Amino acid sequence: AASNDVQIAEEKASRAHCRVIPQNGKFVIEDLDSSNGTKVNGRNITDHPLADGDEILLGATTLRYEKD
């Protein structure tokens, strides 16, 4: 959706698909009950603490989390 901080052109991504939030000194990705789910390193997640190099899959689009 236009109101999202990050937007990707991915037909299988929901308007509010997932979010990344700071938590206990780390970043956590949370699926927002998206239609097609969110995967990290090939596994479906509801929430997941991110580590350097994690691959986030939204539909056919892959994003890589890099700590620095």
Side-chain angles (χ1 to χ4, degrees):
S3 61
N4 293 338
D5 290 335
V6 176
Q7 301 168 30
I8 60 170
E10 171 55 59
E11 111 182 8
K12 292 190 177 186
S14 300
R15 293 187 194 277
H17 195 96
C18 62
R19 67 179 171 190
V20 176
I21 59 169
Q23 191 175 82
N24 300 323
K26 295 185 177 187
F27 287 98
V28 174
I29 187 168
E30 296 179 335
D31 183 75
L32 299 176
D33 295 321
S34 63
S35 298
N36 293 307
T38 301
K39 290 185 177 185
V40 176
N41 301 324
R43 296 181 146 183
N44 285 318
I45 58 99
T46 50
D47 58 70
H48 179 84
L50 290 168
D52 192 42
D54 278 350
E55 291 190 349
I56 302 160
L57 186 63
L58 309 173
T61 300
T62 301
L63 307 170
R64 180 183 299 270
Y65 175 77
E66 294 185 10
K67 188 174 178 182
D68 292 319

